mmCIF file of all heavy atoms in Angstrom:
data_model
loop_
_atom_site.group_PDB
_atom_site.id
_atom_site.type_symbol
_atom_site.label_atom_id
_atom_site.label_comp_id
_atom_site.label_asym_id
_atom_site.label_seq_id
_atom_site.Cartn_x
_atom_site.Cartn_y
_atom_site.Cartn_z
ATOM 1 N N GLU A 98 7.102 14.932 1.078
ATOM 2 C CA GLU A 98 7.459 16.316 0.717
ATOM 3 C C GLU A 98 6.959 16.649 -0.685
ATOM 4 O O GLU A 98 6.411 17.727 -0.923
ATOM 5 C CB GLU A 98 8.974 16.472 0.798
ATOM 6 C CG GLU A 98 9.490 17.806 0.317
ATOM 7 C CD GLU A 98 11.009 17.817 0.231
ATOM 8 O OE1 GLU A 98 11.660 17.351 1.185
ATOM 9 O OE2 GLU A 98 11.531 18.269 -0.806
ATOM 10 N N ARG A 99 7.167 15.734 -1.630
ATOM 11 C CA ARG A 99 6.754 15.970 -3.028
ATOM 12 C C ARG A 99 5.232 16.024 -3.140
ATOM 13 O O ARG A 99 4.680 16.830 -3.888
ATOM 14 C CB ARG A 99 7.326 14.895 -3.958
ATOM 15 C CG ARG A 99 8.840 14.829 -4.016
ATOM 16 C CD ARG A 99 9.527 16.188 -4.209
ATOM 17 N NE ARG A 99 9.072 16.842 -5.403
ATOM 18 C CZ ARG A 99 9.091 18.159 -5.615
ATOM 19 N NH1 ARG A 99 9.567 18.962 -4.703
ATOM 20 N NH2 ARG A 99 8.647 18.672 -6.731
ATOM 21 N N ILE A 100 4.544 15.152 -2.406
ATOM 22 C CA ILE A 100 3.076 15.175 -2.428
ATOM 23 C C ILE A 100 2.582 16.514 -1.890
ATOM 24 O O ILE A 100 1.700 17.144 -2.472
ATOM 25 C CB ILE A 100 2.481 13.993 -1.631
ATOM 26 C CG1 ILE A 100 2.779 12.679 -2.356
ATOM 27 C CG2 ILE A 100 0.990 14.175 -1.430
ATOM 28 C CD1 ILE A 100 2.441 11.432 -1.557
ATOM 29 N N LYS A 101 3.154 16.956 -0.777
ATOM 30 C CA LYS A 101 2.762 18.245 -0.192
ATOM 31 C C LYS A 101 2.999 19.380 -1.177
ATOM 32 O O LYS A 101 2.210 20.323 -1.268
ATOM 33 C CB LYS A 101 3.541 18.512 1.099
ATOM 34 C CG LYS A 101 3.078 17.683 2.263
ATOM 35 C CD LYS A 101 3.897 17.997 3.512
ATOM 36 C CE LYS A 101 3.425 17.181 4.691
ATOM 37 N NZ LYS A 101 4.206 17.433 5.907
ATOM 38 N N HIS A 102 4.095 19.297 -1.916
ATOM 39 C CA HIS A 102 4.435 20.338 -2.887
ATOM 40 C C HIS A 102 3.417 20.416 -4.026
ATOM 41 O O HIS A 102 3.135 21.507 -4.541
ATOM 42 C CB HIS A 102 5.836 20.089 -3.447
ATOM 43 C CG HIS A 102 6.258 21.069 -4.501
ATOM 44 N ND1 HIS A 102 6.671 22.346 -4.191
ATOM 45 C CD2 HIS A 102 6.309 20.962 -5.842
ATOM 46 C CE1 HIS A 102 6.964 22.992 -5.313
ATOM 47 N NE2 HIS A 102 6.757 22.169 -6.318
ATOM 48 N N HIS A 103 2.850 19.266 -4.402
ATOM 49 C CA HIS A 103 1.986 19.204 -5.581
ATOM 50 C C HIS A 103 0.491 19.162 -5.278
ATOM 51 O O HIS A 103 -0.304 19.004 -6.210
ATOM 52 C CB HIS A 103 2.358 17.994 -6.443
ATOM 53 C CG HIS A 103 3.675 18.166 -7.133
ATOM 54 N ND1 HIS A 103 3.836 18.964 -8.242
ATOM 55 C CD2 HIS A 103 4.896 17.651 -6.860
ATOM 56 C CE1 HIS A 103 5.098 18.931 -8.631
ATOM 57 N NE2 HIS A 103 5.769 18.146 -7.791
ATOM 58 N N THR A 104 0.112 19.294 -4.028
ATOM 59 C CA THR A 104 -1.325 19.281 -3.714
ATOM 60 C C THR A 104 -1.652 20.373 -2.700
ATOM 61 O O THR A 104 -0.863 20.648 -1.796
ATOM 62 C CB THR A 104 -1.773 17.916 -3.171
ATOM 63 O OG1 THR A 104 -3.201 17.951 -2.952
ATOM 64 C CG2 THR A 104 -1.106 17.563 -1.861
ATOM 65 N N PRO A 105 -2.799 20.979 -2.853
ATOM 66 C CA PRO A 105 -3.233 21.961 -1.851
ATOM 67 C C PRO A 105 -3.907 21.282 -0.651
ATOM 68 O O PRO A 105 -4.214 21.922 0.348
ATOM 69 C CB PRO A 105 -4.253 22.811 -2.621
ATOM 70 C CG PRO A 105 -4.840 21.866 -3.623
ATOM 71 C CD PRO A 105 -3.701 20.951 -4.017
ATOM 72 N N ASN A 106 -4.118 19.981 -0.731
ATOM 73 C CA ASN A 106 -4.807 19.243 0.329
ATOM 74 C C ASN A 106 -3.947 19.112 1.575
ATOM 75 O O ASN A 106 -2.724 19.052 1.496
ATOM 76 C CB ASN A 106 -5.196 17.846 -0.169
ATOM 77 C CG ASN A 106 -6.123 17.898 -1.352
ATOM 78 O OD1 ASN A 106 -7.051 18.684 -1.381
ATOM 79 N ND2 ASN A 106 -5.861 17.077 -2.344
ATOM 80 N N GLU A 107 -4.618 19.012 2.697
ATOM 81 C CA GLU A 107 -3.917 18.739 3.949
ATOM 82 C C GLU A 107 -3.458 17.278 3.937
ATOM 83 O O GLU A 107 -4.201 16.388 3.538
ATOM 84 C CB GLU A 107 -4.863 18.974 5.135
ATOM 85 C CG GLU A 107 -4.235 18.685 6.473
ATOM 86 C CD GLU A 107 -5.210 18.883 7.629
ATOM 87 O OE1 GLU A 107 -6.394 19.187 7.387
ATOM 88 O OE2 GLU A 107 -4.758 18.718 8.765
ATOM 89 N N ILE A 108 -2.240 17.040 4.352
ATOM 90 C CA ILE A 108 -1.686 15.698 4.406
ATOM 91 C C ILE A 108 -1.767 15.191 5.844
ATOM 92 O O ILE A 108 -1.294 15.839 6.764
ATOM 93 C CB ILE A 108 -0.212 15.672 3.947
ATOM 94 C CG1 ILE A 108 -0.060 16.254 2.545
ATOM 95 C CG2 ILE A 108 0.378 14.265 4.029
ATOM 96 C CD1 ILE A 108 -0.763 15.507 1.461
ATOM 97 N N LEU A 109 -2.385 14.032 6.033
ATOM 98 C CA LEU A 109 -2.526 13.441 7.345
ATOM 99 C C LEU A 109 -1.784 12.116 7.394
ATOM 100 O O LEU A 109 -1.972 11.257 6.524
ATOM 101 C CB LEU A 109 -3.997 13.193 7.681
ATOM 102 C CG LEU A 109 -4.910 14.426 7.646
ATOM 103 C CD1 LEU A 109 -6.359 14.006 7.820
ATOM 104 C CD2 LEU A 109 -4.489 15.387 8.743
ATOM 105 N N LEU A 110 -0.929 11.965 8.372
ATOM 106 C CA LEU A 110 -0.225 10.701 8.617
ATOM 107 C C LEU A 110 -0.719 10.146 9.942
ATOM 108 O O LEU A 110 -0.588 10.793 10.972
ATOM 109 C CB LEU A 110 1.285 10.927 8.671
ATOM 110 C CG LEU A 110 1.944 11.451 7.391
ATOM 111 C CD1 LEU A 110 3.386 11.828 7.661
ATOM 112 C CD2 LEU A 110 1.851 10.417 6.306
ATOM 113 N N PRO A 111 -1.281 8.934 9.933
ATOM 114 C CA PRO A 111 -1.758 8.364 11.196
ATOM 115 C C PRO A 111 -0.570 7.921 12.063
ATOM 116 O O PRO A 111 0.584 8.008 11.638
ATOM 117 C CB PRO A 111 -2.580 7.157 10.734
ATOM 118 C CG PRO A 111 -2.026 6.799 9.403
ATOM 119 C CD PRO A 111 -1.521 8.075 8.793
ATOM 120 N N GLU A 112 -0.876 7.397 13.218
ATOM 121 C CA GLU A 112 0.194 6.930 14.101
ATOM 122 C C GLU A 112 0.922 5.740 13.448
ATOM 123 O O GLU A 112 0.390 5.061 12.571
ATOM 124 C CB GLU A 112 -0.346 6.547 15.465
ATOM 125 C CG GLU A 112 -1.324 5.387 15.443
ATOM 126 C CD GLU A 112 -1.864 5.075 16.816
ATOM 127 O OE1 GLU A 112 -2.312 5.985 17.511
ATOM 128 O OE2 GLU A 112 -1.812 3.880 17.173
ATOM 129 N N GLU A 113 2.143 5.518 13.885
ATOM 130 C CA GLU A 113 3.020 4.514 13.268
ATOM 131 C C GLU A 113 2.400 3.114 13.254
ATOM 132 O O GLU A 113 2.535 2.380 12.286
ATOM 133 C CB GLU A 113 4.359 4.492 14.009
ATOM 134 C CG GLU A 113 5.388 3.618 13.345
ATOM 135 C CD GLU A 113 6.755 3.721 14.003
ATOM 136 O OE1 GLU A 113 7.057 4.749 14.621
ATOM 137 O OE2 GLU A 113 7.514 2.747 13.881
ATOM 138 N N ASN A 114 1.698 2.742 14.325
ATOM 139 C CA ASN A 114 1.080 1.403 14.374
ATOM 140 C C ASN A 114 0.049 1.215 13.264
ATOM 141 O O ASN A 114 -0.049 0.145 12.673
ATOM 142 C CB ASN A 114 0.420 1.143 15.720
ATOM 143 C CG ASN A 114 1.421 0.840 16.802
ATOM 144 O OD1 ASN A 114 2.553 0.462 16.516
ATOM 145 N ND2 ASN A 114 1.017 1.002 18.052
ATOM 146 N N THR A 115 -0.706 2.253 12.959
ATOM 147 C CA THR A 115 -1.706 2.184 11.893
ATOM 148 C C THR A 115 -1.029 2.038 10.540
ATOM 149 O O THR A 115 -1.446 1.233 9.699
ATOM 150 C CB THR A 115 -2.592 3.437 11.905
ATOM 151 O OG1 THR A 115 -3.243 3.526 13.187
ATOM 152 C CG2 THR A 115 -3.652 3.381 10.809
ATOM 153 N N ILE A 116 0.033 2.791 10.322
ATOM 154 C CA ILE A 116 0.785 2.695 9.067
ATOM 155 C C ILE A 116 1.333 1.277 8.901
ATOM 156 O O ILE A 116 1.177 0.659 7.836
ATOM 157 C CB ILE A 116 1.930 3.722 9.034
ATOM 158 C CG1 ILE A 116 1.363 5.144 9.008
ATOM 159 C CG2 ILE A 116 2.843 3.478 7.839
ATOM 160 C CD1 ILE A 116 2.387 6.231 9.235
ATOM 161 N N ASN A 117 1.953 0.749 9.925
ATOM 162 C CA ASN A 117 2.544 -0.596 9.861
ATOM 163 C C ASN A 117 1.478 -1.680 9.695
ATOM 164 O O ASN A 117 1.685 -2.667 8.987
ATOM 165 C CB ASN A 117 3.388 -0.878 11.090
ATOM 166 C CG ASN A 117 4.676 -0.090 11.095
ATOM 167 O OD1 ASN A 117 5.214 0.243 10.040
ATOM 168 N ND2 ASN A 117 5.166 0.253 12.265
ATOM 169 N N PHE A 118 0.327 -1.499 10.335
ATOM 170 C CA PHE A 118 -0.757 -2.477 10.239
ATOM 171 C C PHE A 118 -1.235 -2.578 8.805
ATOM 172 O O PHE A 118 -1.406 -3.677 8.271
ATOM 173 C CB PHE A 118 -1.902 -2.074 11.174
ATOM 174 C CG PHE A 118 -3.067 -3.031 11.141
ATOM 175 C CD1 PHE A 118 -2.968 -4.270 11.739
ATOM 176 C CD2 PHE A 118 -4.245 -2.673 10.510
ATOM 177 C CE1 PHE A 118 -4.038 -5.157 11.711
ATOM 178 C CE2 PHE A 118 -5.316 -3.558 10.474
ATOM 179 C CZ PHE A 118 -5.224 -4.793 11.085
ATOM 180 N N LYS A 119 -1.438 -1.428 8.156
ATOM 181 C CA LYS A 119 -1.904 -1.465 6.766
ATOM 182 C C LYS A 119 -0.852 -2.107 5.872
ATOM 183 O O LYS A 119 -1.190 -2.911 4.996
ATOM 184 C CB LYS A 119 -2.215 -0.066 6.263
ATOM 185 C CG LYS A 119 -2.718 -0.113 4.835
ATOM 186 C CD LYS A 119 -3.029 1.237 4.268
ATOM 187 C CE LYS A 119 -3.413 1.118 2.814
ATOM 188 N NZ LYS A 119 -3.427 2.393 2.149
ATOM 189 N N GLU A 120 0.397 -1.785 6.079
ATOM 190 C CA GLU A 120 1.471 -2.374 5.271
ATOM 191 C C GLU A 120 1.465 -3.903 5.424
ATOM 192 O O GLU A 120 1.580 -4.631 4.427
ATOM 193 C CB GLU A 120 2.826 -1.803 5.711
ATOM 194 C CG GLU A 120 3.980 -2.250 4.887
ATOM 195 C CD GLU A 120 4.107 -1.510 3.568
ATOM 196 O OE1 GLU A 120 3.258 -0.662 3.243
ATOM 197 O OE2 GLU A 120 5.068 -1.792 2.849
ATOM 198 N N ALA A 121 1.299 -4.396 6.637
ATOM 199 C CA ALA A 121 1.265 -5.845 6.869
ATOM 200 C C ALA A 121 0.070 -6.479 6.181
ATOM 201 O O ALA A 121 0.193 -7.559 5.583
ATOM 202 C CB ALA A 121 1.243 -6.120 8.378
ATOM 203 N N LEU A 122 -1.091 -5.843 6.248
ATOM 204 C CA LEU A 122 -2.284 -6.386 5.594
ATOM 205 C C LEU A 122 -2.108 -6.484 4.092
ATOM 206 O O LEU A 122 -2.467 -7.501 3.475
ATOM 207 C CB LEU A 122 -3.508 -5.504 5.902
ATOM 208 C CG LEU A 122 -4.127 -5.628 7.266
ATOM 209 C CD1 LEU A 122 -5.275 -4.622 7.408
ATOM 210 C CD2 LEU A 122 -4.632 -7.033 7.503
ATOM 211 N N ILE A 123 -1.546 -5.441 3.503
ATOM 212 C CA ILE A 123 -1.361 -5.440 2.047
ATOM 213 C C ILE A 123 -0.418 -6.560 1.625
ATOM 214 O O ILE A 123 -0.692 -7.293 0.659
ATOM 215 C CB ILE A 123 -0.812 -4.065 1.580
ATOM 216 C CG1 ILE A 123 -1.831 -2.975 1.830
ATOM 217 C CG2 ILE A 123 -0.401 -4.110 0.130
ATOM 218 C CD1 ILE A 123 -3.134 -3.123 1.111
ATOM 219 N N PHE A 124 0.703 -6.727 2.332
ATOM 220 C CA PHE A 124 1.649 -7.766 1.942
ATOM 221 C C PHE A 124 1.078 -9.162 2.207
ATOM 222 O O PHE A 124 1.360 -10.100 1.442
ATOM 223 C CB PHE A 124 3.011 -7.554 2.601
ATOM 224 C CG PHE A 124 3.860 -6.611 1.811
ATOM 225 C CD1 PHE A 124 3.806 -5.250 2.045
ATOM 226 C CD2 PHE A 124 4.656 -7.081 0.782
ATOM 227 C CE1 PHE A 124 4.564 -4.372 1.273
ATOM 228 C CE2 PHE A 124 5.405 -6.215 0.003
ATOM 229 C CZ PHE A 124 5.364 -4.851 0.259
ATOM 230 N N ALA A 125 0.287 -9.319 3.251
ATOM 231 C CA ALA A 125 -0.375 -10.607 3.486
ATOM 232 C C ALA A 125 -1.339 -10.922 2.342
ATOM 233 O O ALA A 125 -1.372 -12.054 1.845
ATOM 234 C CB ALA A 125 -1.115 -10.584 4.809
ATOM 235 N N PHE A 126 -2.074 -9.920 1.886
ATOM 236 C CA PHE A 126 -3.001 -10.101 0.759
ATOM 237 C C PHE A 126 -2.242 -10.471 -0.512
ATOM 238 O O PHE A 126 -2.646 -11.396 -1.237
ATOM 239 C CB PHE A 126 -3.835 -8.832 0.553
ATOM 240 C CG PHE A 126 -4.788 -8.934 -0.595
ATOM 241 C CD1 PHE A 126 -5.835 -9.845 -0.572
ATOM 242 C CD2 PHE A 126 -4.644 -8.123 -1.696
ATOM 243 C CE1 PHE A 126 -6.714 -9.948 -1.642
ATOM 244 C CE2 PHE A 126 -5.523 -8.207 -2.767
ATOM 245 C CZ PHE A 126 -6.560 -9.129 -2.735
ATOM 246 N N LEU A 127 -1.130 -9.783 -0.776
ATOM 247 C CA LEU A 127 -0.311 -10.115 -1.956
ATOM 248 C C LEU A 127 0.201 -11.561 -1.851
ATOM 249 O O LEU A 127 0.265 -12.278 -2.849
ATOM 250 C CB LEU A 127 0.865 -9.150 -2.080
ATOM 251 C CG LEU A 127 0.509 -7.732 -2.499
ATOM 252 C CD1 LEU A 127 1.745 -6.831 -2.415
ATOM 253 C CD2 LEU A 127 -0.100 -7.687 -3.882
ATOM 254 N N GLY A 128 0.565 -11.976 -0.639
ATOM 255 C CA GLY A 128 1.022 -13.344 -0.436
ATOM 256 C C GLY A 128 -0.074 -14.372 -0.695
ATOM 257 O O GLY A 128 0.184 -15.425 -1.292
ATOM 258 N N VAL A 129 -1.279 -14.078 -0.266
ATOM 259 C CA VAL A 129 -2.412 -14.982 -0.531
ATOM 260 C C VAL A 129 -2.647 -15.089 -2.038
ATOM 261 O O VAL A 129 -2.846 -16.190 -2.562
ATOM 262 C CB VAL A 129 -3.693 -14.498 0.196
ATOM 263 C CG1 VAL A 129 -4.921 -15.236 -0.314
ATOM 264 C CG2 VAL A 129 -3.546 -14.673 1.696
ATOM 265 N N LEU A 130 -2.620 -13.954 -2.724
ATOM 266 C CA LEU A 130 -2.787 -14.004 -4.180
ATOM 267 C C LEU A 130 -1.687 -14.840 -4.822
ATOM 268 O O LEU A 130 -1.955 -15.638 -5.734
ATOM 269 C CB LEU A 130 -2.788 -12.591 -4.761
ATOM 270 C CG LEU A 130 -3.983 -11.710 -4.421
ATOM 271 C CD1 LEU A 130 -3.800 -10.313 -4.988
ATOM 272 C CD2 LEU A 130 -5.271 -12.337 -4.931
ATOM 273 N N ARG A 131 -0.451 -14.706 -4.351
ATOM 274 C CA ARG A 131 0.664 -15.491 -4.892
ATOM 275 C C ARG A 131 0.445 -16.968 -4.647
ATOM 276 O O ARG A 131 0.628 -17.801 -5.517
ATOM 277 C CB ARG A 131 1.991 -15.014 -4.261
ATOM 278 C CG ARG A 131 3.191 -15.904 -4.516
ATOM 279 C CD ARG A 131 3.449 -16.048 -6.017
ATOM 280 N NE ARG A 131 4.562 -16.920 -6.290
ATOM 281 C CZ ARG A 131 4.478 -18.224 -6.456
ATOM 282 N NH1 ARG A 131 3.320 -18.830 -6.364
ATOM 283 N NH2 ARG A 131 5.546 -18.937 -6.724
ATOM 284 N N TRP A 132 0.041 -17.312 -3.433
ATOM 285 C CA TRP A 132 -0.204 -18.700 -3.065
ATOM 286 C C TRP A 132 -1.263 -19.319 -3.982
ATOM 287 O O TRP A 132 -1.153 -20.481 -4.371
ATOM 288 C CB TRP A 132 -0.649 -18.770 -1.610
ATOM 289 C CG TRP A 132 -0.892 -20.155 -1.111
ATOM 290 C CD1 TRP A 132 -2.094 -20.790 -0.981
ATOM 291 C CD2 TRP A 132 0.083 -21.094 -0.661
ATOM 292 N NE1 TRP A 132 -1.922 -22.051 -0.487
ATOM 293 C CE2 TRP A 132 -0.582 -22.265 -0.283
ATOM 294 C CE3 TRP A 132 1.466 -21.040 -0.542
ATOM 295 C CZ2 TRP A 132 0.076 -23.374 0.214
ATOM 296 C CZ3 TRP A 132 2.120 -22.144 -0.057
ATOM 297 C CH2 TRP A 132 1.435 -23.298 0.305
ATOM 298 N N ARG A 133 -2.270 -18.531 -4.352
ATOM 299 C CA ARG A 133 -3.378 -19.011 -5.186
ATOM 300 C C ARG A 133 -3.093 -18.838 -6.677
ATOM 301 O O ARG A 133 -3.957 -19.112 -7.497
ATOM 302 C CB ARG A 133 -4.642 -18.254 -4.817
ATOM 303 C CG ARG A 133 -5.085 -18.554 -3.383
ATOM 304 C CD ARG A 133 -6.182 -17.662 -2.896
ATOM 305 N NE ARG A 133 -7.311 -17.643 -3.826
ATOM 306 C CZ ARG A 133 -8.480 -17.120 -3.552
ATOM 307 N NH1 ARG A 133 -8.682 -16.570 -2.384
ATOM 308 N NH2 ARG A 133 -9.440 -17.138 -4.437
ATOM 309 N N TRP A 134 -1.886 -18.412 -7.048
ATOM 310 C CA TRP A 134 -1.500 -18.156 -8.450
ATOM 311 C C TRP A 134 -2.450 -17.176 -9.121
ATOM 312 O O TRP A 134 -2.816 -17.330 -10.285
ATOM 313 C CB TRP A 134 -1.394 -19.452 -9.245
ATOM 314 C CG TRP A 134 -0.123 -20.166 -8.985
ATOM 315 C CD1 TRP A 134 0.087 -21.156 -8.067
ATOM 316 C CD2 TRP A 134 1.142 -19.923 -9.604
ATOM 317 N NE1 TRP A 134 1.404 -21.551 -8.085
ATOM 318 C CE2 TRP A 134 2.080 -20.808 -9.035
ATOM 319 C CE3 TRP A 134 1.574 -19.044 -10.589
ATOM 320 C CZ2 TRP A 134 3.397 -20.832 -9.407
ATOM 321 C CZ3 TRP A 134 2.900 -19.077 -10.964
ATOM 322 C CH2 TRP A 134 3.793 -19.971 -10.375
ATOM 323 N N GLU A 135 -2.865 -16.149 -8.382
ATOM 324 C CA GLU A 135 -3.704 -15.086 -8.946
ATOM 325 C C GLU A 135 -2.829 -13.863 -9.175
ATOM 326 O O GLU A 135 -1.861 -13.617 -8.457
ATOM 327 C CB GLU A 135 -4.852 -14.754 -7.994
ATOM 328 C CG GLU A 135 -5.821 -15.912 -7.813
ATOM 329 C CD GLU A 135 -6.970 -15.559 -6.897
ATOM 330 O OE1 GLU A 135 -7.396 -14.381 -6.890
ATOM 331 O OE2 GLU A 135 -7.425 -16.456 -6.171
ATOM 332 N N ILE A 136 -3.161 -13.090 -10.165
ATOM 333 C CA ILE A 136 -2.387 -11.894 -10.506
ATOM 334 C C ILE A 136 -2.282 -10.978 -9.293
ATOM 335 O O ILE A 136 -3.282 -10.652 -8.659
ATOM 336 C CB ILE A 136 -3.029 -11.169 -11.702
ATOM 337 C CG1 ILE A 136 -2.839 -12.027 -12.954
ATOM 338 C CG2 ILE A 136 -2.431 -9.782 -11.893
ATOM 339 C CD1 ILE A 136 -3.591 -11.514 -14.167
ATOM 340 N N ASN A 137 -1.051 -10.581 -8.968
ATOM 341 C CA ASN A 137 -0.829 -9.657 -7.863
ATOM 342 C C ASN A 137 0.090 -8.505 -8.269
ATOM 343 O O ASN A 137 0.508 -7.712 -7.429
ATOM 344 C CB ASN A 137 -0.273 -10.387 -6.644
ATOM 345 C CG ASN A 137 1.086 -11.015 -6.891
ATOM 346 O OD1 ASN A 137 1.705 -10.832 -7.939
ATOM 347 N ND2 ASN A 137 1.567 -11.769 -5.926
ATOM 348 N N CYS A 138 0.411 -8.419 -9.540
ATOM 349 C CA CYS A 138 1.278 -7.367 -10.061
ATOM 350 C C CYS A 138 0.677 -6.864 -11.374
ATOM 351 O O CYS A 138 0.653 -7.598 -12.357
ATOM 352 C CB CYS A 138 2.683 -7.929 -10.269
ATOM 353 S SG CYS A 138 3.881 -6.689 -10.743
ATOM 354 N N LEU A 139 0.146 -5.657 -11.361
ATOM 355 C CA LEU A 139 -0.582 -5.143 -12.517
ATOM 356 C C LEU A 139 0.304 -4.303 -13.437
ATOM 357 O O LEU A 139 1.024 -3.420 -12.972
ATOM 358 C CB LEU A 139 -1.768 -4.295 -12.054
ATOM 359 C CG LEU A 139 -2.787 -4.986 -11.164
ATOM 360 C CD1 LEU A 139 -3.840 -3.997 -10.701
ATOM 361 C CD2 LEU A 139 -3.418 -6.162 -11.896
ATOM 362 N N GLN A 140 0.209 -4.592 -14.707
ATOM 363 C CA GLN A 140 0.959 -3.845 -15.721
ATOM 364 C C GLN A 140 0.683 -2.345 -15.612
ATOM 365 O O GLN A 140 1.591 -1.534 -15.706
ATOM 366 C CB GLN A 140 0.564 -4.351 -17.111
ATOM 367 C CG GLN A 140 1.120 -3.541 -18.249
ATOM 368 C CD GLN A 140 0.502 -3.943 -19.581
ATOM 369 O OE1 GLN A 140 -0.550 -4.564 -19.628
ATOM 370 N NE2 GLN A 140 1.151 -3.583 -20.654
ATOM 371 N N SER A 141 -0.566 -1.989 -15.382
ATOM 372 C CA SER A 141 -0.950 -0.574 -15.336
ATOM 373 C C SER A 141 -0.325 0.161 -14.166
ATOM 374 O O SER A 141 -0.197 1.380 -14.188
ATOM 375 C CB SER A 141 -2.478 -0.450 -15.277
ATOM 376 O OG SER A 141 -2.970 -1.079 -14.100
ATOM 377 N N VAL A 142 0.073 -0.557 -13.130
ATOM 378 C CA VAL A 142 0.655 0.047 -11.945
ATOM 379 C C VAL A 142 2.185 0.043 -12.001
ATOM 380 O O VAL A 142 2.840 1.023 -11.653
ATOM 381 C CB VAL A 142 0.170 -0.679 -10.661
ATOM 382 C CG1 VAL A 142 0.869 -0.139 -9.423
ATOM 383 C CG2 VAL A 142 -1.342 -0.571 -10.539
#
């Protein structure tokens, strides 16, 4: 809702499976970085 309020762009939400798939990939990647003791949490973010 807040994003829609602050942008003139059209907001597109894919189907739920696509949203969940990306979420799983991101957390798996963060886990790999953790396993390898590589930075996975950025100060700037």
